[in-house]
PDB file of all heavy atoms in Angstrom:
ATOM      1  N   PHE A 479      34.714 -24.552 -37.529  1.00  0.00           N
ATOM      2  CA  PHE A 479      33.657 -25.561 -37.443  1.00  0.00           C
ATOM      3  C   PHE A 479      32.581 -25.136 -36.461  1.00  0.00           C
ATOM      4  O   PHE A 479      31.387 -25.302 -36.708  1.00  0.00           O
ATOM      5  CB  PHE A 479      34.259 -26.904 -36.996  1.00  0.00           C
ATOM      6  CG  PHE A 479      34.788 -27.738 -38.124  1.00  0.00           C
ATOM      7  CD1 PHE A 479      36.121 -27.679 -38.480  1.00  0.00           C
ATOM      8  CD2 PHE A 479      33.948 -28.581 -38.828  1.00  0.00           C
ATOM      9  CE1 PHE A 479      36.616 -28.450 -39.509  1.00  0.00           C
ATOM     10  CE2 PHE A 479      34.429 -29.357 -39.865  1.00  0.00           C
ATOM     11  CZ  PHE A 479      35.771 -29.291 -40.216  1.00  0.00           C
ATOM     12  N   ARG A 482      30.273 -22.481 -37.816  1.00  0.00           N
ATOM     13  CA  ARG A 482      29.360 -22.986 -38.843  1.00  0.00           C
ATOM     14  C   ARG A 482      28.362 -23.998 -38.262  1.00  0.00           C
ATOM     15  O   ARG A 482      27.622 -24.636 -39.018  1.00  0.00           O
ATOM     16  CB  ARG A 482      30.155 -23.678 -39.958  1.00  0.00           C
ATOM     17  CG  ARG A 482      31.180 -22.789 -40.643  1.00  0.00           C
ATOM     18  CD  ARG A 482      30.565 -21.945 -41.727  1.00  0.00           C
ATOM     19  NE  ARG A 482      31.590 -21.218 -42.446  1.00  0.00           N
ATOM     20  CZ  ARG A 482      31.953 -19.961 -42.205  1.00  0.00           C
ATOM     21  NH1 ARG A 482      31.341 -19.295 -41.231  1.00  0.00           N
ATOM     22  NH2 ARG A 482      32.890 -19.367 -42.899  1.00  0.00           N
ATOM     23  N   SER A 483      28.389 -24.190 -36.927  1.00  0.00           N
ATOM     24  CA  SER A 483      27.497 -25.150 -36.265  1.00  0.00           C
ATOM     25  C   SER A 483      27.655 -26.545 -36.844  1.00  0.00           C
ATOM     26  O   SER A 483      26.696 -27.295 -37.007  1.00  0.00           O
ATOM     27  CB  SER A 483      26.027 -24.703 -36.379  1.00  0.00           C
ATOM     28  OG  SER A 483      25.847 -23.456 -35.756  1.00  0.00           O
ATOM     29  N   ARG A 484      28.904 -26.904 -37.167  1.00  0.00           N
ATOM     30  CA  ARG A 484      29.189 -28.219 -37.749  1.00  0.00           C
ATOM     31  C   ARG A 484      29.958 -29.105 -36.778  1.00  0.00           C
ATOM     32  O   ARG A 484      30.576 -30.088 -37.173  1.00  0.00           O
ATOM     33  CB  ARG A 484      30.013 -28.033 -39.031  1.00  0.00           C
ATOM     34  CG  ARG A 484      29.283 -27.356 -40.164  1.00  0.00           C
ATOM     35  CD  ARG A 484      28.237 -28.266 -40.780  1.00  0.00           C
ATOM     36  NE  ARG A 484      28.799 -29.562 -41.128  1.00  0.00           N
ATOM     37  CZ  ARG A 484      29.545 -29.777 -42.220  1.00  0.00           C
ATOM     38  NH1 ARG A 484      29.805 -28.782 -43.062  1.00  0.00           N
ATOM     39  NH2 ARG A 484      29.999 -30.985 -42.474  1.00  0.00           N
ATOM     40  N   MET A 485      29.913 -28.766 -35.512  1.00  0.00           N
ATOM     41  CA  MET A 485      30.699 -29.520 -34.544  1.00  0.00           C
ATOM     42  C   MET A 485      29.945 -29.556 -33.218  1.00  0.00           C
ATOM     43  O   MET A 485      29.282 -28.602 -32.840  1.00  0.00           O
ATOM     44  CB  MET A 485      32.053 -28.823 -34.358  1.00  0.00           C
ATOM     45  CG  MET A 485      33.003 -29.512 -33.408  1.00  0.00           C
ATOM     46  SD  MET A 485      34.609 -28.668 -33.402  1.00  0.00           S
ATOM     47  CE  MET A 485      34.161 -27.117 -32.623  1.00  0.00           C
ATOM     48  N   LEU A 499      32.260 -34.179 -35.655  1.00  0.00           N
ATOM     49  CA  LEU A 499      31.797 -33.429 -36.818  1.00  0.00           C
ATOM     50  C   LEU A 499      30.328 -33.740 -37.085  1.00  0.00           C
ATOM     51  O   LEU A 499      29.908 -34.894 -37.080  1.00  0.00           O
ATOM     52  CB  LEU A 499      32.641 -33.810 -38.048  1.00  0.00           C
ATOM     53  CG  LEU A 499      32.267 -33.139 -39.363  1.00  0.00           C
ATOM     54  CD1 LEU A 499      32.446 -31.631 -39.261  1.00  0.00           C
ATOM     55  CD2 LEU A 499      33.114 -33.710 -40.498  1.00  0.00           C
ATOM     56  N   LEU A 500      29.552 -32.692 -37.297  1.00  0.00           N
ATOM     57  CA  LEU A 500      28.137 -32.857 -37.641  1.00  0.00           C
ATOM     58  C   LEU A 500      27.969 -32.770 -39.151  1.00  0.00           C
ATOM     59  O   LEU A 500      28.680 -32.007 -39.817  1.00  0.00           O
ATOM     60  CB  LEU A 500      27.299 -31.761 -36.975  1.00  0.00           C
ATOM     61  CG  LEU A 500      27.272 -31.762 -35.442  1.00  0.00           C
ATOM     62  CD1 LEU A 500      26.482 -30.573 -34.937  1.00  0.00           C
ATOM     63  CD2 LEU A 500      26.688 -33.067 -34.914  1.00  0.00           C
ATOM     64  N   PRO A 501      27.040 -33.525 -39.734  1.00  0.00           N
ATOM     65  CA  PRO A 501      26.831 -33.450 -41.182  1.00  0.00           C
ATOM     66  C   PRO A 501      26.235 -32.104 -41.580  1.00  0.00           C
ATOM     67  O   PRO A 501      25.595 -31.415 -40.780  1.00  0.00           O
ATOM     68  CB  PRO A 501      25.834 -34.588 -41.447  1.00  0.00           C
ATOM     69  CG  PRO A 501      25.123 -34.777 -40.144  1.00  0.00           C
ATOM     70  CD  PRO A 501      26.130 -34.487 -39.078  1.00  0.00           C
ATOM     71  N   ALA A 502      26.457 -31.728 -42.825  1.00  0.00           N
ATOM     72  CA  ALA A 502      25.873 -30.492 -43.340  1.00  0.00           C
ATOM     73  C   ALA A 502      24.360 -30.622 -43.358  1.00  0.00           C
ATOM     74  O   ALA A 502      23.817 -31.723 -43.517  1.00  0.00           O
ATOM     75  CB  ALA A 502      26.393 -30.217 -44.746  1.00  0.00           C
ATOM     76  N   PRO A 503      23.651 -29.527 -43.188  1.00  0.00           N
ATOM     77  CA  PRO A 503      22.182 -29.586 -43.200  1.00  0.00           C
ATOM     78  C   PRO A 503      21.676 -30.217 -44.503  1.00  0.00           C
ATOM     79  O   PRO A 503      22.125 -29.882 -45.595  1.00  0.00           O
ATOM     80  CB  PRO A 503      21.775 -28.120 -43.109  1.00  0.00           C
ATOM     81  CG  PRO A 503      22.935 -27.442 -42.449  1.00  0.00           C
ATOM     82  CD  PRO A 503      24.147 -28.168 -42.935  1.00  0.00           C
ATOM     83  N   GLY A 504      20.746 -31.181 -44.369  1.00  0.00           N
ATOM     84  CA  GLY A 504      20.155 -31.818 -45.535  1.00  0.00           C
ATOM     85  C   GLY A 504      20.927 -32.989 -46.071  1.00  0.00           C
ATOM     86  O   GLY A 504      20.450 -33.693 -46.954  1.00  0.00           O
ATOM     87  N   SER A 505      22.139 -33.227 -45.554  1.00  0.00           N
ATOM     88  CA  SER A 505      22.952 -34.339 -46.064  1.00  0.00           C
ATOM     89  C   SER A 505      22.787 -35.550 -45.162  1.00  0.00           C
ATOM     90  O   SER A 505      22.376 -35.452 -44.013  1.00  0.00           O
ATOM     91  CB  SER A 505      24.424 -33.949 -46.140  1.00  0.00           C
ATOM     92  OG  SER A 505      24.933 -33.720 -44.834  1.00  0.00           O
ATOM     93  N   THR A 506      23.125 -36.716 -45.682  1.00  0.00           N
ATOM     94  CA  THR A 506      23.062 -37.961 -44.919  1.00  0.00           C
ATOM     95  C   THR A 506      24.453 -38.297 -44.434  1.00  0.00           C
ATOM     96  O   THR A 506      25.372 -38.453 -45.250  1.00  0.00           O
ATOM     97  CB  THR A 506      22.542 -39.110 -45.789  1.00  0.00           C
ATOM     98  OG1 THR A 506      21.256 -38.751 -46.294  1.00  0.00           O
ATOM     99  CG2 THR A 506      22.456 -40.401 -44.975  1.00  0.00           C
ATOM    100  N   PRO A 507      24.659 -38.388 -43.118  1.00  0.00           N
ATOM    101  CA  PRO A 507      26.008 -38.661 -42.630  1.00  0.00           C
ATOM    102  C   PRO A 507      26.477 -40.052 -43.023  1.00  0.00           C
ATOM    103  O   PRO A 507      25.720 -41.019 -42.951  1.00  0.00           O
ATOM    104  CB  PRO A 507      25.859 -38.533 -41.106  1.00  0.00           C
ATOM    105  CG  PRO A 507      24.410 -38.794 -40.844  1.00  0.00           C
ATOM    106  CD  PRO A 507      23.672 -38.286 -42.052  1.00  0.00           C
ATOM    107  N   ALA A 508      27.694 -40.140 -43.495  1.00  0.00           N
ATOM    108  CA  ALA A 508      28.274 -41.439 -43.852  1.00  0.00           C
ATOM    109  C   ALA A 508      28.752 -42.128 -42.581  1.00  0.00           C
ATOM    110  O   ALA A 508      29.262 -41.483 -41.677  1.00  0.00           O
ATOM    111  CB  ALA A 508      29.450 -41.230 -44.815  1.00  0.00           C
ATOM    112  N   LEU A 541      38.593 -30.343 -45.821  1.00  0.00           N
ATOM    113  CA  LEU A 541      37.988 -30.726 -44.552  1.00  0.00           C
ATOM    114  C   LEU A 541      37.047 -29.649 -44.021  1.00  0.00           C
ATOM    115  O   LEU A 541      36.068 -29.947 -43.328  1.00  0.00           O
ATOM    116  CB  LEU A 541      39.102 -30.979 -43.529  1.00  0.00           C
ATOM    117  CG  LEU A 541      38.725 -31.583 -42.180  1.00  0.00           C
ATOM    118  CD1 LEU A 541      38.125 -32.967 -42.352  1.00  0.00           C
ATOM    119  CD2 LEU A 541      39.964 -31.651 -41.287  1.00  0.00           C
ATOM    120  N   LEU A 542      37.329 -28.390 -44.353  1.00  0.00           N
ATOM    121  CA  LEU A 542      36.562 -27.280 -43.788  1.00  0.00           C
ATOM    122  C   LEU A 542      35.136 -27.268 -44.308  1.00  0.00           C
ATOM    123  O   LEU A 542      34.889 -27.592 -45.470  1.00  0.00           O
ATOM    124  CB  LEU A 542      37.240 -25.947 -44.132  1.00  0.00           C
ATOM    125  CG  LEU A 542      38.546 -25.652 -43.405  1.00  0.00           C
ATOM    126  CD1 LEU A 542      39.177 -24.386 -43.970  1.00  0.00           C
ATOM    127  CD2 LEU A 542      38.303 -25.483 -41.920  1.00  0.00           C
ATOM    128  N   PRO A 543      34.206 -26.863 -43.461  1.00  0.00           N
ATOM    129  CA  PRO A 543      32.819 -26.748 -43.925  1.00  0.00           C
ATOM    130  C   PRO A 543      32.697 -25.570 -44.885  1.00  0.00           C
ATOM    131  O   PRO A 543      33.400 -24.561 -44.731  1.00  0.00           O
ATOM    132  CB  PRO A 543      32.035 -26.493 -42.632  1.00  0.00           C
ATOM    133  CG  PRO A 543      33.018 -25.872 -41.705  1.00  0.00           C
ATOM    134  CD  PRO A 543      34.342 -26.505 -42.036  1.00  0.00           C
ATOM    135  N   PRO A 544      31.840 -25.654 -45.894  1.00  0.00           N
ATOM    136  CA  PRO A 544      31.683 -24.523 -46.814  1.00  0.00           C
ATOM    137  C   PRO A 544      31.075 -23.327 -46.094  1.00  0.00           C
ATOM    138  O   PRO A 544      30.257 -23.481 -45.184  1.00  0.00           O
ATOM    139  CB  PRO A 544      30.738 -25.063 -47.888  1.00  0.00           C
ATOM    140  CG  PRO A 544      29.991 -26.172 -47.201  1.00  0.00           C
ATOM    141  CD  PRO A 544      30.953 -26.778 -46.223  1.00  0.00           C
ATOM    142  N   ALA A 545      31.505 -22.139 -46.517  1.00  0.00           N
ATOM    143  CA  ALA A 545      30.956 -20.914 -45.931  1.00  0.00           C
ATOM    144  C   ALA A 545      29.500 -20.769 -46.333  1.00  0.00           C
ATOM    145  O   ALA A 545      29.106 -21.155 -47.439  1.00  0.00           O
ATOM    146  CB  ALA A 545      31.764 -19.708 -46.404  1.00  0.00           C
TER     147      ALA A 545
END
Side-chain angles (χ1 to χ4, degrees):
F479 273 94
R482 302 277 186 264
S483 299
R484 293 288 309 282
M485 182 175 68
L499 179 62
L500 296 176
S505 65
T506 302
L541 189 62
L542 289 173

